[in-house]
Structure formats: structure tokens, C-alpha cells
Amino acid sequence: MRIAYYPGCVAQESGKELDMATRWVAKALGIELVEFPSFSCCGSGFMDEANEVLNVALNARNLAIAEKAGLDIMTVCSTCQGMLSLANLRLGDAKVKARVDGALKPLGIEYRGTVKVKHLLRILTEDIGVAAIKARVRRPLDGLKVGAFYGCHLLRPGDEMQWESPEEPHSFEDLLTALGASPVYYRGRVMCCGFPIQFVKEETASRIAGRQIDDAKAHGADAMATPCPLCHISLDSFQNKAAKAAGHPLDMPVFHLPQVVGLALGASPEELGLPRHLVPTDAAIARIRPPAVA
Amino acid sequence: MTEGTVSATFDIYRNDPTSGKAAYYQRFTLDLTPHTPILTALLRIRAELDPSLALKYSCRSAICGSCAMQVNSKSRLACQTQVGPEIERHGRIVLEPMRNQPVVRDLVVDQERFWRDYASIAPHLILDPRHPMPAGHENPMTPEQVERFKETPRCIACAACYSACPAVESDPAFPGPMALAKLYRFVVDPRDSATQDRLARIQPGGLWLCLRCHLCTEACPKDVRPSERIRDLKELAIAAQGATERGSRHAVGFKESVRDRGLLEEMKLARKTYGLAGTLGQLGQGVKIYRKKPEMMRKPHPIEGVEEIEKIYEALDRPEGGSK
């Protein structure tokens, strides 16, 4: 399949390992990523708090770029997924559409509303399919207990994101099972990572992140995995702060979604950028049982 | 089991904090039709199996807002949630009291903090004493004015949102989704004269602690959509008062940092949010992350067509009059 690849800001900057892993997995599964150096930031759920119409207009421009090329968009970030989907939805309001068109038309940009925005998780589980992925697994993640951590904007508001259950999703766990891992079910998997208020009140954000990591751990997780690089910042880059807030060490390796897929499909930790994580992932990888020799 | 019924297993949280005994889950099994409301099942359990079970309810019709509880970890009204789908999905129904409020007994919680947070936003119209309503007259609004807050009056104060909220769970300074959704309703009400004062007080008063996780919007049985009204409130607060807090500085700083290159510039945003001194305070953590991820210090290349971004900002980012 061919799709417009929308990496988002973090995967192009501090979360480069997400981009590396995405490209590796896409190549392995025959997903052709079409790149557009003209894509702008999605607004990240912050810009629209300052100016919603402006944010919708920037995303209408992003959507128009893909539409002109006749492609749907693939995101690798729960928040990019949410913001681009919301723009599609808000443009259904005639007043919003008129203001956005007023800004875009003089630039020769027109968006007709035909582009679908899909997160990599959805493409893997719906378009490629867990059975097809299972057939490609070269190193089953046997013995690894993984707590999926979805990221709010991929799921909610449920009636606007129009995918799986916003409170009881299962796509990520289905995928983990196909990869040979054991998914861990815990309340925190659909909760917030604390990232949105990391800059507002760090102690509170850290307490929230620590609670979700502790919850995954209490349910037996050796590692967590997330389809959102912002959750990854909160759970990995700032895990030391979460541990301080929790009052005890957490030592929880946190994978990006395509990293767990890549590991199972045979990529090396280096190819997936795993050495870039703040919390080492070696101990989790060491838990993977080598396949029995026939 | 009779035809058309399911065998429904309930694991119900039991706790009497005055007894000194630990909380436990008690199992009950009933044959019920799949569309039986959970509240109906609870009333049968209490009538037929254990009269000591404590719960709160009244109207049984999703109007009074009394019977909110955790149903298989989701905030729900017991009267509005049917047995069948829960059994189908989970094989059993775990019932627990609402979260974020101390347990009085079993499924009943103490709502003192919830109501105190609600009272803190002055949830009533504050009319301008200089323009009293003429005697015997109503204070009319246009349909367009009412449209702006059509969802909020549906709220039945059931506290399902409060129970679902991770910010309430983690910070006593956050007044909760309902209080802020109600605040929004008065801020945009053309009859209310305290808009500026309300917005000035809520910026430092917890508004920016909302995580925008939308769990409140999922929990709300009346589709009030508190998380979306809180977003609206943030934009109104910035328009009225400017960015006075870290949260609003972050939102405005984010918007500004994308303008130049079309992509987020992480370091520039940090300076705008924290100020120079605050950024220096983050230096230790910054260095830890930088060692693994040096790109965080890099200015991204401007996107192709970055001049279009500037034009879009010029067209849509002009300050507008903030009239109601």
C-alpha cells in the first residue's frame, strides 16, 4: 500500500528512533511511505487552546497536500492522529470551513474533505492485518509481558475518532499477541500519561506518569509499548521524575509501537533506535525466549 | 436459567470504613435478561440476597444523577448501563464506588470535595446591578446565544466525570470537569456580568491542569462534553486576559514557535513557557535527555512552503473582539 507519511514533529526531532523504526517496519511489510517536506506541525493539542481556527487551517493545509497527491495519511503519534482527525471533523462546521477557506483559497489551497487519517496501529491491525503480521514474525516475543499504553487522542473522544472502544480498546493487545508477546491488561493502559501538563505542573504530571507505570508493573508487565511519542517522552524521557514522584524506582522499559513490531520481525535494537531510550531496554529484550531449535 | 436470560456474576466492592475490616469483593449471581439495568440488578441483590448493601439511587431514569459508580472500571450511571454487554465483554460485572471521593460505605461516596469544587466557580448568574431586569420581564437571549452553551445545561451533576478524571485524582487544585464545564456556561452566557472576573480567577485556579484526556467526555451520560468546553474556556481566557499562567504561556508559545518554520522548535517553546530562569532550572533534565537525543537542541529546517504558514497566521491569528 502507498500512503502519505506524516511523521509529526517529535519523530523528526528528539524522537528520531520512532521514525527509524517506522521506516524499518514499513519496508518489511511493503508499506510505501510517500513523504511531503511541506507538512506542518499538527498543533499537538496545545495550539488550538490558543487559536482553534488557526490550528484547523494548518491541518486543512496538511490534508490538502495529501489530497492533491490522492493519498490517505498515516500518522505515528496518537496526538497527530487526534488533531488531524479533529480538523477533518471541524471542517464540517460551515462557519469554521468559511474562515479556513478564506485563509487558504488566496494561497491556491483547497481541501475537499476526502482524506482519511490513519494511525500506524490501525494500518497494522486493519489494513495489513494481525494474521499477515503473525506470518512474518521471525523472532516471536515469547516470554515478554507487555503493557500497551494507547495515548488519549488515538481513542477519544470516541464518537469523533470513530475507531475502537475509547475505554476498552484491544487492537494493540491483539497485535502484541500476534507478535508472540503476552499483553498485560491494566486500568492505566487507556489513561493519560501526564504529558500535557508536564510544562504546567511537573509534580502532578510525574505523579500521573508514575501511577500508570506502577499499574502496568503491578499487573506483571516487563515493558510498556506506546503508539504515541508524547507518551514516550512522559514515560521514558521523564521516567526518572515519575519515579521520584512515586517514591520508588520504576525501571520500566518503554517501546514505541513500531519498535516492538520491528523486534519481532527481526530488526536489531540499533536499527530500531533502542539505544536512544533513557531507560535501557536490554533487560526486556533479554526476557525474549529464543525459539526452540527443531 | 430461563430462556432469554443470562447468568450474570457481580463482584461488588464492600467496605465499611468504621468496622476496621479490610474492603473486599462479594460475589452474587443472578439470572437476568440482557437489557436489565445494573441498578435494577443491585436492587434485586439488596432485596433478595443481602439487605446490608449500601448504594445511592433515586429516579432510575438517568435524571437525578445519584447512581454513578465504576462499572468494570468505567464511570457509569447504574440505571443507564445494561447487564448484557458488560457480561459479553468481561464475563462478569465488577461494581465499585466512584473514584476520587472517599468511600462512606460500599458503593456510597462522600461528595464533599466535589460539591466544594463546584461551589468554587460561583455556579449561578451574576447580573449587573446597574442594569436590573425590568420588573415582570424575563431576560431574553437569542437562539444563537443559547447555541453556544446548549450542552452544559444537560448536566445532572452525577460526578461520573469527576470519578473518571486523572487530574482530580492527582491534584487537589483542579476543580474537576463538571465545575469547569459549568463555568464555561456562565462565561458565555450574555446575561452574566462577571465574565472577566471568572476568567481572571480560573486561569491560576486550575484551568490549565486539565489534561485533555477526554475521559470525562466518555464518562458523561448526558454528552455535556466537558473536555471540549474546557478547551473553549482556555481559548476564551487567553483572548480575554492574555497568557498569564504557565499553561497559557505554553499554548501561546506553541502557536508562536510553529509560525517561523512550520514545525515545533522544542527549545524555543521551553524558553517561552518557563522563561529564561525556568529553562535553566530544567537544565539537569535537559542534559540527561540531550545525551541520548541531541536533536532536541536542533532548529528544524523550515518546511517547504513555510511562507504559506505565515500567510495563514496573518489571516487567522489576529486578535478579535471577545464579545459574547
Side-chain angles (χ1 to χ4, degrees), chain A residues 17-173:
Chain A
E17 69 279 2
L18 168 59
D19 179 67
M20 294 162 69
T22 300
R23 289 173 192 276
W24 195 97
V25 166
K27 196 171 172 202
L29 294 173
I31 304 169
E32 188 191 338
L33 303 179
V34 184
E35 296 184 59
F36 294 91
S38 46
F39 278 151
S40 77
C41 170
C42 75
S44 192
F46 294 120
M47 185 192 290
D48 69 331
E49 296 181 338
N51 187 336
E52 188 179 32
V53 174
L54 172 71
N55 199 165
V56 172
L58 291 186
N59 281 328
R61 177 182 167 278
N62 287 328
L63 292 160
I65 290 166
E67 188 173 67
K68 203 169 170 189
L71 296 168
D72 285 334
I73 285 179
M74 180 182 95
T75 63
V76 289
C77 168
S78 296
T79 305
C80 294
Q81 176 64 30
M83 298 318 291
L84 287 165
S85 306
L86 271 187
N88 249 341
L89 199 83
R90 296 284 179 265
L91 288 166
D93 179 327
K95 272 192 205 155
V96 174
K97 179 94 167 68
R99 288 193 64 198
V100 169
D101 284 348
L104 296 187
K105 280 216 172 119
L107 305 172
I109 301 169
E110 193 194 354
Y111 178 54
R112 285 174 289 116
T114 61
V115 174
K116 286 198 190 78
V117 184
K118 282 185 165 183
H119 191 284
L120 172 63
L121 179 60
R122 188 165 188 179
I123 289 173
L124 292 176
T125 53
E126 278 185 7
D127 295 277
I128 309 284
V130 287
I133 291 174
K134 193 174 178 178
R136 303 279 193 101
V137 169
R138 287 175 51 199
R139 174 171 49 186
L141 306 181
D142 186 25
L144 190 64
K145 288 184 237 143
V146 184
F149 191 89
Y150 280 82
C152 299
H153 298 274
L154 178 61
L155 302 170
R156 294 185 292 268
D159 55 351
E160 296 184 343
M161 292 308 122
Q162 299 198 347
W163 186 26
E164 58 181 334
S165 162
E167 294 165 304
E168 297 174 331
H170 57 80
S171 63
F172 206 161
E173 285 81 4

Side-chain angles (χ1 to χ4, degrees), chain A residues 181-206:
Chain A
S182 306
V184 169
Y185 290 85
Y186 61 109
R187 171 179 174 260
R189 73 197 181 97
V190 293
M191 299 291 290
C192 179
C193 68
F195 179 82
I197 59 166
Q198 184 76 46
F199 317 93
V200 179
K201 205 167 176 182
E202 188 181 281
E203 315 87 85
T204 306
S206 300

Side-chain angles (χ1 to χ4, degrees), chain A residues 270-292:
Chain A
E270 290 70 28
E271 285 173 307
L272 300 170
L274 286 169
R276 295 169 50 86
H277 290 204
L278 274 281
V279 180
T281 51
D282 321 29
I285 293 173
R287 283 183 176 274
I288 301 169
R289 278 194 283 268

Side-chain angles (χ1 to χ4, degrees), chain A residues 13-14 17 41 45 48-49 51 61 156 158-159 167-168 187 199 201 204 207 211 237 240, chain B residues 74 76 89-90 99 170-171 212-213 218 225 231 234 246 262 264 285 293 295 308 316-317:
Chain A
E13 296 170 30
S14 64
E17 69 279 2
C41 170
D48 69 331
E49 296 181 338
N51 187 336
R61 177 182 167 278
R156 294 185 292 268
D159 55 351
E167 294 165 304
E168 297 174 331
R187 171 179 174 260
F199 317 93
K201 205 167 176 182
T204 306
R207 212 174 299 141
R211 185 177 296 122
S237 299
N240 58 333
Chain B
K74 305 175 296 272
R76 292 287 184 272
R89 218 170 294 140
H90 298 278
R99 299 175 65 93
S170 309
D171 199 319
R212 213 160 156 208
C213 65
E218 295 305 332
R225 312 186 78 81
R231 190 218 64 83
K234 287 174 174 172
R246 256 200 192 166
L264 172 65
Q285 186 71 11
K293 305 182 169 206
E295 300 84 357
E308 290 171 2
L316 293 174
D317 200 32

